[in-house]
Amino acid sequence: MKIAAIQMVSGTRIEDNLQVAHQLLGQAAAQGAELAVLPEYFCIMGRKDTDKLQFQETPGQGLIQDFLGRSARELGLWIVGGTLPMATADAGRARNSSLAYAPSGECVARYDKIHLFRFAQGREDYDERRVLEPGTQPVRFELASRDGHVYTVGMSICYDLRFPELYRALKADLLLVPSAFTYTTGQAHWEVLLRARAIENQAYVLAAAQGGTHENGRHTWGHSMVVDPWGQVLAERAEEAGVVMAEILAANLQGVRERLPALTHCVL
């Protein structure tokens, strides 16, 4: 099955971001992708953390969800919409949510980011708790590829990558990591963490990232990539918008798990 990580450098206007996302999704579909994943905050990278709050949506209603469902139907793709702000009971805090759509246009899964990013170093100061409410539940869904194989797909978002227990709980064949890693943390830890999650879970990892300098001045690391169950990077894009394509093989997944049956051991 061919899969695609969509890398973007999202700006402050939702309409412009959706237009770019659609173009890139179209490129992925034209290259034979069955699944395409957009990055975290693909729809909006505001000038302030609170900007996202004015674009909160409720389940099944909203411009961004309509775009994702329509694009999935039009392109015949499984699409995971990186993240978008979903409303909570507190108008001052949203959930950072990743939504998965089948080629029918139906939303089949929603994951709310559990681990909220905090980092302070010099002029960099991030704390997602100021405007976000954390999720509570791991989420996975089943994806039937065109060749008839059914993959278990585990969902996660960005900072979750630092918490291996989440990924082990997912028991997935393919792990998704839509992200907007900062340049500082990405340069230090991005690739090693992605490869570690692939190796320890003997799973494919698809990481779709923001990658460049944004209108709001934020510099994201990029390096969207696909990693195989042995920890090998199959495809990667350093910076700027584009499509990262790779093919995943059920036989390779099974072979790694049979040769090195680490997943059969009891967790202490």
Side-chain angles (χ1 to χ4, degrees), residues 4-132:
I6 307 297
Q7 184 158 291
M8 295 178 63
V9 188
S10 297
T12 59
R13 287 178 48 82
I14 283 185
E15 293 80 3
D16 294 344
N17 295 328
L18 297 187
Q19 182 178 11
V20 172
H22 190 269
Q23 291 171 350
L24 294 170
L25 290 167
Q27 290 178 29
Q31 294 179 58
E34 296 185 47
L35 165 69
V37 179
L38 293 158
E40 184 179 29
Y41 297 127
F42 78 96
C43 53
I44 182 73
M45 289 282 280
R47 298 189 183 280
K48 307 185 301 297
D49 284 347
T50 52
D51 286 354
K52 64 176 70 71
L53 297 176
Q54 62 185 297
F55 302 110
Q56 295 178 73
E57 297 189 354
T58 56
Q61 297 183 331
L63 173 68
I64 304 164
Q65 293 172 84
D66 288 347
F67 163 80
L68 292 169
R70 184 173 64 253
S71 297
R73 286 192 303 273
E74 175 190 340
L75 298 171
L77 273 176
W78 289 84
I79 295 176
V80 175
T83 69
L84 63 150
M86 296 292 285
T88 70
D90 179 356
R93 298 174 82 202
R95 291 251 177 140
N96 192 18
S97 303
S98 185
L99 304 182
Y101 287 79
S104 64
E106 176 190 5
C107 182
V108 297
R110 169 182 166 178
Y111 168 67
D112 297 337
K113 187 176 185 180
I114 293 175
H115 302 99
L116 301 183
F117 181 51
R118 296 168 60 193
F119 177 67
Q121 176 177 282
R123 294 182 180 180
E124 294 184 275
D125 183 12
Y126 303 96
D127 189 346
E128 290 185 323
R129 298 174 305 171
R130 296 167 186 156
V131 295
L132 294 179

Side-chain angles (χ1 to χ4, degrees), residues 110-202:
R110 169 182 166 178
Y111 168 67
D112 297 337
K113 187 176 185 180
I114 293 175
H115 302 99
L116 301 183
F117 181 51
R118 296 168 60 193
F119 177 67
Q121 176 177 282
R123 294 182 180 180
E124 294 184 275
D125 183 12
Y126 303 96
D127 189 346
E128 290 185 323
R129 298 174 305 171
R130 296 167 186 156
V131 295
L132 294 179
E133 174 184 283
T136 59
Q137 297 296 324
V139 175
R140 64 183 190 176
F141 64 95
E142 303 298 310
L143 188 162
S145 62
R146 293 169 191 159
D147 64 6
H149 186 79
V150 178
Y151 292 89
T152 300
V153 182
M155 304 179 76
S156 70
I157 300 168
C158 200
Y159 191 53
D160 284 330
L161 187 58
R162 297 181 182 274
F163 301 87
E165 62 275 13
L166 170 63
Y167 296 88
R168 185 52 63 93
L170 288 168
K171 297 181 173 61
D173 304 318
L174 172 61
L175 300 166
L176 308 183
V177 195
S179 301
F181 254 61
T182 68
Y183 190 92
T184 302
T185 58
Q187 184 179 40
H189 302 142
W190 173 248
E191 181 177 327
V192 70
L193 287 171
L194 290 171
R195 294 179 67 193
R197 297 297 85 86
I199 293 166
E200 66 198 10
N201 293 288
Q202 298 183 319

